Amino acid sequence: MKTLYLDAFSGISGDMFIGALLDLGVDFETFKNELSKLKVKGFALSAEVISKCNIYGTNFDVTLDNGEQKDKGYIEERHNHHHGRHLNEILDLIQNSDLNDSIKNHAIAIFMDIGKAEAKVHNVPIDKVHFHEVGALDSIVDIVGACIAIELLDVDKIICSPISDGKGFINVAHGRMPVPVPAVAQMLIDQNIPIEQQNDIHTELLTPTGLGIVKEFVNEFDSFNKNYDIQKIGYGFGKRDTGSFNALRVYVLTNSLSSKTVVSSADEVVSIEANIDDTTGEILGNTMTELMDAGALDVYFTSIQMKKNRPGIKLSVLIEPTDFDKFVYLIFKNSSTIGVRYQTLNRIKMNREFEKVEVRGNFIRVKVLTYKDIRKKTVEFDDCLKVAKQTGRTFEEIYLEAQTKIKDM
């Protein structure tokens, strides 16, 4: 499973998000072709690889045909741009475009979220909200473009770090406002989104557009998980001079728990169990995926008979003791159970390290397991599958070739 991790140490805005995904490898020409389906003219796009603090990343910009460029700040300068639109105009623009339904639905949801917040803070009906900032053409491009970039990146899950924001005041269309601006503050109500205020940065880092993207796409908030392998890293630069490195760093990750070297033969784990009789197989499958992606050591189901002879399923999850609170939360969130039981178990496991064999010009990892005088070797399934796809051979052919080679190790 491919996961996108947002490291929002300097906040997040729409252009930072798009720049970061382009830096990961989203094809810019494909991105522009998709965005042209919005059927809106009057702007040009640029994506330039530049250096900030001697770190290279991508600076994404929208330049309007009148020469205005979104390079003076996220919001406070936009009240000079007279390109505002009402919410219904924006929704019609998106709905009548040639974009696919998934992109349309995500973009509309983001605008509705921001629109509700603006309506509340200005005490007007939502259809009367005039988007001085996010209704501007460049910000329509940011929101729709973010939805396009996510689809092109094709990840299975998005995790975000705690989001940094500054403090102090900024100038917006309605005057001088505190950070976070009222719309952002309103959008955070009843949301379990961790915000870390940076007292030494006297400006805005988290914009309504950035927060709207986060609320629409992020599956969970967590610190960087040690159970993932980093595949790629990208940087999307912001436009502000904050006095520090102003960028959104993003990672493409794959789950790597089974690829970790193990050098200890004894440890403790926590077993969490729950009996479930009111769910579907599809929901249980998703529960297992969410728990394994979060770093569970193992997840499995057992068929059981419950009260009144009802058939049910026992969910069992093995985890590291330090992850207990996290997994109790995830079990309640991703299953229908209303209670769990748990116990600490002593465990003895074989030591684990990795070697490699070469098959048809590609390296395949071999898991080497030892305990006292016992030694076992197994070929990594994912590596064999990858080589099979690259070479056009069947999985069985590659697996058998790898098995033959490990006999001589």
Side-chain angles (χ1 to χ4, degrees):
M1 177 171 283
K2 186 163 72 169
T3 297
L4 176 66
Y5 185 83
L6 310 179
D7 187 6
F9 59 82
S10 188
I12 182 170
S13 65
D15 51 358
M16 291 168 73
F17 184 83
I18 294 173
L21 267 58
L22 291 171
D23 205 51
L24 281 177
V26 169
D27 184 72
F28 188 43
E29 291 303 316
T30 303
F31 173 82
K32 289 193 294 184
N33 288 338
E34 286 297 310
L35 197 54
S36 68
K37 296 177 182 178
L38 192 57
K39 297 189 292 188
V40 173
K41 298 181 180 180
F43 66 91
L45 305 178
S46 65
E48 182 183 6
V49 176
I50 63 173
S51 172
K52 286 191 176 182
C53 300
N54 208 30
I55 303 297
Y56 280 83
T58 296
N59 184 63
F60 173 76
D61 249 325
V62 181
T63 303
L64 306 184
D65 284 356
N66 61 8
E68 291 178 342
Q69 190 175 44
K70 187 178 56 180
D71 60 357
K72 297 181 180 179
Y74 303 133
I75 290 181
E76 72 270 30
E77 299 295 337
R78 290 189 185 170
H79 62 282
N80 296 321
H81 287 184
H82 308 295
H83 297 290
R85 284 180 168 90
H86 287 91
L87 177 62
N88 288 339
E89 294 179 70
I90 298 170
L91 301 187
D92 288 343
L93 180 68
I94 296 170
Q95 195 62 58
N96 294 326
S97 72
D98 293 330
L99 296 163
N100 68 42
D101 288 342
S102 175
I103 293 173
K104 287 180 181 180
N105 292 338
H106 285 305
I108 288 171
I110 293 171
F111 269 110
M112 285 295 297
D113 189 21
I114 299 172
K116 289 176 183 178
E118 294 282 1
K120 179 66 176 178
V121 298
H122 297 302
N123 194 30
V124 296
I126 191 169
D127 60 339
K128 300 297 183 183
V129 171
H130 187 263
F131 286 81
H132 296 281
E133 289 91 16
V134 296
L137 179 57
D138 53 3
S139 291
I140 294 175
V141 172
D142 276 355
I143 290 175
V144 176
C147 299
I148 291 171
I150 288 176
E151 181 157 299
L152 292 176
L153 189 62
D154 190 24
V155 295
D156 302 294
K157 185 176 183 179
I158 301 179
I159 302 174
C160 186
S161 71
I163 304 173
S164 291
D165 201 2
K167 63 175 299 184
F169 295 83
I170 63 170
N171 296 317
V172 299
H174 300 286
R176 190 167 173 80
M177 295 290 176
V179 176
V181 294
V184 168
Q186 184 68 31
M187 291 170 70
L188 290 171
I189 291 179
D190 294 330
Q191 301 293 315
N192 190 26
I193 299 177
I195 305 295
E196 296 180 345
Q197 193 169 40
Q198 305 298 317
N199 293 328
D200 58 335
I201 297 179
H202 297 276
T203 189
E204 175 193 43
L205 298 178
L206 176 61
T207 71
T209 300
L211 181 56
I213 293 168
V214 166
K215 290 178 65 177
E216 180 67 13
F217 290 107
V218 170
N219 303 105
E220 66 180 84
F221 297 88
D222 200 357
S223 57
F224 195 85
N225 195 319
K226 62 183 182 298
N227 296 320
Y228 286 95
D229 276 336
I230 300 173
Q231 302 299 311
K232 292 181 180 179
I233 299 176
Y235 293 89
F237 291 133
K239 306 300 185 292
R240 289 187 179 280
D241 182 5
T242 64
S244 60
F245 186 48
N246 184 24
L248 174 67
R249 178 164 57 188
V250 294
Y251 300 80
V252 172
L253 308 172
T254 56
N255 193 294
S256 63
L257 188 62
S258 64
S259 300
K260 296 295 184 183
T261 298
V262 175
V263 295
S264 174
S265 60
D267 64 0
E268 289 186 345
V269 296
V270 172
S271 173
I272 306 177
E273 295 181 344
N275 293 352
I276 303 172
D277 67 349
D278 56 351
T279 193
T280 67
E282 291 86 355
I283 292 175
L284 288 172
N286 179 70
T287 300
M288 175 181 283
T289 298
E290 292 291 333
L291 295 173
M292 291 300 296
D293 285 347
L297 302 174
D298 200 3
V299 179
Y300 56 95
F301 301 116
T302 306
S303 296
I304 57 175
Q305 293 298 120
M306 298 176 62
K307 295 189 297 289
K308 300 179 181 179
N309 210 30
R310 298 193 308 269
I313 295 293
K314 180 173 73 174
L315 166 67
S316 300
V317 186
L318 294 181
I319 63 168
E320 299 281 0
T322 54
D323 291 335
F324 178 75
D325 289 339
K326 168 184 172 181
F327 277 95
V328 169
Y329 173 81
L330 289 174
I331 291 170
F332 284 139
K333 179 181 179 181
N334 294 289
S335 75
S336 60
T337 190
I338 59 174
V340 301
R341 56 190 178 273
Y342 62 92
Q343 60 181 320
T344 300
L345 302 174
N346 294 320
R347 181 176 65 160
I348 296 177
K349 57 186 183 293
M350 300 185 76
N351 293 341
R352 180 174 62 202
E353 57 185 12
F354 290 86
E355 298 181 7
K356 292 181 180 180
V357 294
E358 187 174 350
V359 175
R360 297 182 181 270
N362 296 273
F363 286 106
I364 292 176
R365 289 172 298 169
V366 178
K367 189 183 300 179
V368 181
L369 306 166
T370 57
Y371 180 77
K372 296 184 178 179
D373 62 342
I374 303 171
R375 183 178 175 88
K376 300 178 181 180
K377 294 172 287 186
T378 60
V379 176
E380 284 291 281
F381 172 88
D382 289 341
D383 289 4
C384 291
L385 187 61
K386 181 179 179 180
V387 173
K389 290 180 178 179
Q390 290 176 342
T391 60
R393 301 287 180 172
T394 66
F395 170 81
E396 184 179 16
E397 286 180 286
I398 300 301
Y399 179 79
L400 291 176
E401 286 189 36
Q403 283 288 95
T404 300
K405 292 198 172 187
I406 68 174
K407 293 178 181 179
D408 300 325
M409 290 176 57

